[in-house]
Structure formats: C-alpha cells, structure tokens
C-alpha cells in the first residue's frame, strides 16, 4: 500500500506516517514537503465575489490530494502493473462531515481509476477564503445573474455546451481547469462567446517524484472547482441547488472498451452515468448544493454539433477547439487517436467543414489516415475502432457497452445509453467508409 499524506500545514508532516507527502494549497519550498498541489487555487477562488461553502472547499482539498496521489504513485510499481492500493490521509476543516461518506468516495474513485482507495480525514484543513481575503483581491469574478456552472475545457463538447446554455437563456459561470497550452484556447473561445463570467484555475501539481502518465482521476479537480463555484452561486438563489453542467457526448461518457484489452484503460470515466450518480449521492449527503447534469448523455458528438442552437457561432469557432490528448507533444492534433477520430467523425456527420488549426499547425498530423496505417503504433487506435464497429455489426453490443461500467436500472435510460453508443460507433464507421479506409 502506498501512503499519501496531504495537508496544508507544514507542521502536520512531522508526526504523520507516509511514503508520499503533499502540501495542499501551497508550493514546494526548501525544508518543506517535496511535493505540493494547488498553490494558486485558493487565491483564484477568492476572486469569486460570493463566499464558498466549506463542504465544497473540503471536497476540493480531497480532489487535490487524489490528483497528486494519482500523479505520484506509479502504476508500474503495482503488483499487476496497473491497479494500485493507495491510502490518502487529507487535512480538512470539517473532517466529521466527510468521514461517513469515506467508503462511498472510495468506491466511486475505484470505479474512476481502477485502483483501491482508502481515505482518512483529519483536522487542520484550510477554511474557505474569508470576506477580508476576498475583498482585497482585484479582478473579481462577477457572479451577478449567474444561474449555473458549466465546465469549459476548450474541447468541442464544452464549447457546444456553453453556446447551447447561453442560447437557452442561462448565464453560466464557465469553469476551466487550465493547464499549459489549454489556457490559451479557453481564453480565446470564452472571448468569442456572448459575455458570461469565467474562472480558470491550474491545480499546479509539483514534486520530486516521476510523473505517472495515466492520471485517470485528472477531472476530479475540475469537478471540485465547479462544485465550489456552484456553492457560491447558490448564495444568489436562497441557497438553492445549482446546476453543474458537464457537456460530454454520450459515446465518450460511456467509455466502452474498444477491444478486450482496453477496458477503459486509456481514458477517464468521469462522465460515466455510474460515476455521476455516485458523486451526486456524495454531494447530497455532505451538503454540496450542486446538481450534476450532462445534457448530451443521449447524443453523439456529431448530433450535439449538428443540433447546436447557434449554428453560425459554432461553425465559426468549432475548428478552434482541441480534442487530441497528445496535441501538446507536437502542438498539433494527431488526427488518428480515438478522440481525434470521434472529432473528425462529428464534423463529417454534422456536415461542417473541419478547418482544425492548432498552435502553428493547420490540420492534423495525420490528415490522411492512410499514412497512419503504415506503422503498428500509428494504426493501433484505428484498428481498435474498427474492432468496435465489427462488434456492433456482429450483435454482441449490450455486453460490450456494459463493460465500460454499470448502466441505470431504468430500462428506458439503459436502452437510450446503449443506443447512443451504437450511433456513436456508426458515426465513426461512416466517416471511415467515406474516406475509403479499410483498417
């Protein structure tokens, strides 16, 4: 078992037992813990012009600790080379509120990352930014009129989601987990939208340990930041529950394994309906005033794009979004990974010209997918998608979708989830066929 101790007070580390120390809401300093996360998070959240609920802020502390543990605990050191056994002790301002839901949180994160998680919550955590602390900061985020929070990553679905929410008369606060490279796209796209507030924060994980590349819990901080923002907006509406919108197409949300060896191992399950319902139950129990919604659970990416409420605006901006998980390697989207294939299929299905341009590069690294078919490494994802297409056409469909995670018991919802997965596969199939690609 790998023991992680995450706390905002440097003095707390002297008596704790751990292999991996992580300073919360701080930075690495000489003589202090060699790992830290969230250095600017508190200051950035203090820019909100309304106070945050402590329950949401403690959830953010947990999320930061989890993200750091996920980055510092190597899967290669696990007995099976993948599933880790991680104990995380987190300093919270109100640990008594969170201790009763520890087991639920462990199960939810186990589903998310494929690891065994164990939580201990101890006292001494940060309290929410005070009125005095908030009042002395400049560049405030004006929440006047805001009625919901919408995650805004700079990807296709998040842009469609923001455009649709605004077109429907909402005033969302767009919340972004802003990392190197992504921040520029988020800033540009936000500036092209009708005026709505935004909040962009980098969790800033720093440390001496080698980084674990899989980071399947990476979006938990994104959700925690949004929960904090929702709790602030709740003050505007008599402490009522605030919608927390996660725009993600139904096919990606389900994350079905494209081959037997890919049981969701290469991507996160953050938007899977099972994880969303598990996290919502935790929010309800600890009193976080946010209701998680995904308006595209039953739409493919192409359908969401084609049915966007403001076609002139989405057509103008959609090519400026990013989908590729490895685009920062070359500062160009590859065009042949699974997210890129789904992206390109969506343009094709919606009948919108794909004018993708990333950084200094126009188009995809593999504009012609035949070039990607020439090497085993480059054609792996195309062949995995082709295997999924054959599985759908062969009729072994329902079992395949459920391998990505449990579906709701309600038969109507189950069938709708299965059907959107089927349509998502067919979208890619049609795109490849029309290109004449035989993988």
């Amino acid at each position: 078992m790998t023991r992680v101790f995450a706390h905002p007070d440097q003095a707390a580390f002297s008596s704790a037992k751990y292999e991996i120390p992580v300073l919360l809401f701080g930075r690495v300093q000489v003589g202090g813990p060699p790992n830290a996360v969230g250095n600017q998070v508190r200051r950035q959240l203090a820019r909100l012009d309304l106070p945050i609920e402590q329950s949401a802020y403690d959830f953010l502390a947990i999320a930061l600790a989890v993200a750091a543990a996920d980055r510092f605990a190597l899967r290669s050191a696990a007995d099976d080379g993948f599933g880790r056994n991680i104990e995380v002790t987190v300093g919270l301002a109100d640990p008594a509120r969170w201790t009763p839901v520890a087991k639920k949180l462990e199960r939810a994160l186990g589903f998310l990352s494929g690891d065994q998680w164990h939580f201990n919550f101890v006292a001494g955590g940060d309290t929410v930014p005070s009125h005095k602390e908030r009042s002395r900061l400049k560049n405030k985020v004006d929440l006047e009129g805001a009625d919901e929070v919408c995650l805004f990553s700079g990807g296709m679905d998040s842009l469609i989601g923001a455009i649709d929410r605004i077109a429907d008369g909402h005033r969302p606060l767009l919340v972004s987990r802003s990392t190197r490279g992504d921040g520029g796209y988020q800033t540009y796209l936000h500036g092209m939208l009708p005026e709505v507030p935004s909040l962009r924060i980098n969790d800033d994980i720093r440390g001496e340990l080698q980084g674990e590349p899989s980071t399947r819990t990476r979006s938990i901080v994104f959700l925690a930041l949004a929960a904090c923002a929702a709790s602030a907006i709740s003050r505007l509406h008599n402490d009522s529950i605030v919608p927390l919108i996660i725009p993600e197409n139904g096919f990606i949300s389900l994350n079905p394994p494209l081959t037997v060896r890919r049981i969701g191992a290469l991507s996160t399950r953050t938007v899977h309906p099972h994880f969303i319902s598990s996290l919502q139950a935790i929010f309800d129990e600890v009193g976080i005033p946010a209701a998680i919604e995904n308006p595209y659970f039953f739409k493919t990416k192409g359908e969401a794009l084609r049915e966007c409420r403001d076609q002139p605006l989405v057509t103008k901006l959609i090519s400026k979004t990013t989908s590729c998980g490895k685009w920062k390697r070359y500062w160009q989207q590859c065009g042949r990974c699974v997210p890129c294939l789904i992206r390109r299929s969506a343009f094709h299905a919606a009948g919108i010209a794909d004018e993708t341009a990333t950084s200094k590069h126009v188009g995809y690294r593999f504009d012609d997918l035949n070039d990607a078919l020439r090497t085993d490494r480059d054609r792996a994802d195309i062949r995995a998608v082709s295997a999924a297409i054959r599985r759908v056409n062969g009729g072994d469909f329902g079992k395949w979708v459920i391998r990505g995670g449990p579906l709701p018991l309600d038969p109507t919802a189950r069938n709708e989830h299965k059907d959107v997965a089927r349509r998502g596969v067919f979208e890619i199939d049609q795109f490849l066929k029309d290109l004449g690609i035989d993988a």
Side-chain angles (χ1 to χ4, degrees), residues 18 76 85 89 107 161 167 178 197 201 210 216 239 245 247 306 348 353 359 364 371 376 386 396 404 408 431 439:
Y18 51 80
S76 59
N85 196 350
T89 300
R107 289 192 293 270
S178 185
I201 299 179
Q210 178 183 351
R216 288 178 63 181
D239 297 325
I245 309 299
R306 184 172 59 246
H348 186 72
S359 191
Y364 300 96
D371 293 337
D376 288 340
S386 296
D396 184 18
F431 170 66

Side-chain angles (χ1 to χ4, degrees), residues 250-303:
F251 181 49
I252 286 292
S253 298
L254 292 173
N255 190 28
L258 297 178
T259 68
V260 174
R261 297 179 62 186
R262 294 183 175 214
I263 308 299
L266 300 182
S267 58
T268 181
R269 292 171 166 174
T270 311
V271 195
H272 193 283
H274 177 70
F275 180 74
I276 292 300
S277 63
S278 299
L279 187 60
Q280 185 66 63
I282 293 169
F283 279 13
D284 294 345
E285 190 163 343
V286 301
I288 294 176
I292 306 171
E293 301 177 17
N294 180 5
Y296 307 118
F297 255 151
F298 304 127
K299 289 187 180 183
T300 67
K301 202 180 204 75
E303 290 165 353

